[in-house]
Every structure is written in structure tokens, then in C-alpha cells.
Amino acid sequence: MNVLVLFGAILFILMTIIGGKKGAKSFIALFFNFGVLIFILFFMTNPDFNPIIITVIACALISCINLFFINDINSKTKTAFLSTIITTVVLLLMIIVVTDKAMIQGFGEEEIEELGVFSLFIGVDFVKIAASVIIVSTIGAIADAAMAISSPMQEMFTHHPSISRKDLFAFGISIGKDILGTSTNTLFFAFFGSYLALLIWFKDLSYYFGEIINSKIFSSEMITIFFAGIGVTLVIPITAWISAYFFVKTRDKTIKG
């Protein structure tokens, strides 16, 4: 049996046993997300389409899959989805500016040898492509953090329906503080593990610390990690405020009705 099929089957069985119906949906969502990424690749290389717009649409689709498909359409997934989209748009505006100013778009000198036989005049905006890559790399962490805050806030509101908006917001912030450190560290170690071979290569080539920091490959990945951390940080107050506002407003409307 192909090793990919074997590990896929093991993952599906474990997710189904432990997560039940939601676990099975989560496994299926992996393939839906993969389809969205293929969608991005198909349009991203077409000069007639704006990569930024395509990325925003893709992020909305990924958020819908990860939130609504897995956890159904309810108040906590709605607030998490809205928070994710708002955070993504705000982050995207920052990413476009930083990508242009930092000059991290395109390819680094370490990749020139492999790309030397190809033409780089393909008619696409590499600044927008780089911005799209960064935002796609962060959308999963942002949606995960939004859901991790919205869900316990709904539980708190369910068990304490008379809680004030201010106290509910403070509760959401306290949850965000708990997950902030672990989320940012997860992003950092994911980068370190993925690019360990690159760091070893830098060592073998006797790169100085300054050369490593200024390397386009290293800089672009570190900027991605920083933006992912910024996104996770921003989504905490945004989700806490939107959830507190939505839950309390729904309660007040029900009482008045």
C-alpha cells in the first residue's frame, strides 16, 4: 500500500474515533482546502486576474470550510468568520506595504541557479504574489484563533446569560491571552522545522549572521511568521468584541421581543 494512503487512512481513523462526526468532517475539509489552493494556483499565474482579489476570495472559502462545514452554521462560527475576514483584510493592507518596501518578492540568489534557464518575464506582479503567499500562510492560524475564542465565549454566555458585554469581552481577552503564546510558538517552530535544511545550508556555506538576516528567502519567511503572529494577536480583541456585541445584542433583542 502506498505510504501516503496508509498514513491518510490512519489519520482518518484517529480523527473519526477521537473527533467523531466533526473529526471526519475535518479530514474531508483537508481535501476541500487543497482544492481551494489549486484554485488559487490556477488563477494566480494568469496576468488577467488580480492575485489580491483571488486571495481574499480563497481565504473566505477556506474560512467557510474550516468554520461552517466542520462546526455548522451557528452564532459562534458566524462571529469567528466575520472576525477572520476583518483581520485578514487589515493584515493584507499591511502585508502589501511591507512586501513592497522590504523587497522580498521574487526569488533569492540561492534560487537563481535552478531558475537560470527560465524566463522571469511572465507578466505577473510579484509584489502581489508575495503578499498573497503570506496571507494564505496565515489564514489557518487566524481562523483557528478566532474559533478558539468565540466558542468558549458562547459557552460562557450560555451558562451566564445575564453577563454584561464588558465582562464577556474581558473573558474573551483572557482566553486570547492563554492561546497567544502557544499559537505564536507553534508558528515559529513550524517555520524552523520546514526550513531547517536551509539553515544548515547557510551554515555549510559559512554565511555570516548579517548575510542570513538579509537573505531574501530567510527574510520572507520570517516576515511571514511575524505577520502570522500579528494576525493571531489582532484577531483576539476583534473576535472578543464582535462576539460580545453579537451575543448580548441577540439576548437584548430576545428580551424586548
Side-chain angles (χ1 to χ4, degrees):
M1 180 182 294
N2 187 291
V3 66
L4 297 179
V5 176
L6 176 61
F7 278 109
I10 293 174
L11 177 62
F12 175 73
I13 293 172
L14 289 176
M15 291 179 71
T16 303
I17 292 175
I18 297 175
K21 183 179 179 181
K22 285 188 177 181
K25 284 186 174 182
S26 299
F27 182 82
I28 297 173
L30 294 175
F31 295 94
F32 288 157
N33 289 328
F34 180 74
V36 174
L37 295 178
I38 296 299
F39 164 80
I40 294 177
L41 294 176
F42 179 79
F43 289 100
M44 199 73 74
T45 55
N46 191 326
D48 296 328
F49 293 94
N50 189 326
I52 301 299
I53 297 177
I54 298 299
T55 301
V56 172
I57 295 174
C59 288
L61 291 175
I62 292 173
S63 299
C64 287
I65 293 170
N66 293 339
L67 296 174
F68 298 138
F69 175 72
I70 297 176
N71 300 286
D72 299 324
I73 301 177
N74 48 57
S75 57
K76 62 183 178 183
T77 54
K78 289 179 181 178
T79 55
F81 175 78
L82 181 59
S83 303
T84 301
I85 296 302
I86 293 175
T87 305
T88 300
V89 172
V90 172
L91 200 63
L92 188 56
L93 297 175
M94 298 170 57
I95 289 173
I96 294 174
V97 175
V98 172
T99 302
D100 186 32
K101 299 298 182 181
M103 299 293 291
I104 60 172
Q105 72 275 9
F107 305 98
E109 60 182 9
E110 295 83 4
E111 302 166 304
I112 294 299
E113 183 177 349
E114 290 80 4
L115 298 171
V117 296
F118 299 102
S119 173
L120 300 181
F121 298 99
I122 57 177
V124 296
D125 190 334
F126 275 94
V127 173
K128 294 180 179 179
I129 293 293
S132 299
V133 170
I134 294 175
I135 200 65
V136 169
S137 301
T138 62
I139 184 64
I142 293 173
D144 180 66
M147 191 63 189
I149 296 171
S150 179
S151 182
M153 287 185 68
Q154 186 194 43
E155 290 296 322
M156 171 62 76
F157 183 76
T158 300
H159 290 88
H160 301 279
S162 61
I163 189 173
S164 66
R165 182 176 298 164
K166 181 180 179 180
D167 290 339
L168 188 59
F169 174 78
F171 175 75
I173 294 295
S174 67
I175 295 296
K177 291 178 180 179
D178 292 336
I179 69 172
L180 182 59
T182 54
S183 297
T184 52
N185 277 284
T186 299
L187 295 169
F188 171 76
F189 287 114
F191 157 76
F192 190 85
S194 300
Y195 282 85
L196 183 60
L198 175 64
L199 298 177
I200 294 174
W201 187 33
F202 284 153
K203 176 182 178 298
D204 291 340
L205 293 177
S206 300
Y207 271 44
Y208 295 111
F209 180 76
E211 291 176 316
I212 295 176
I213 295 298
N214 288 288
S215 171
K216 181 175 287 189
I217 299 177
F218 182 84
S219 298
S220 62
E221 293 303 321
M222 285 305 299
I223 288 175
T224 300
I225 297 302
F226 286 138
F227 270 119
I230 292 172
V232 171
T233 305
L234 283 177
V235 80
I236 291 173
I238 292 175
T239 305
W241 188 88
I242 291 177
S243 298
Y245 177 82
F246 180 81
F247 294 152
V248 173
K249 183 179 180 180
T250 302
R251 179 195 64 192
D252 295 342
K253 187 182 294 185
T254 301
I255 293 175
K256 292 180 180 179

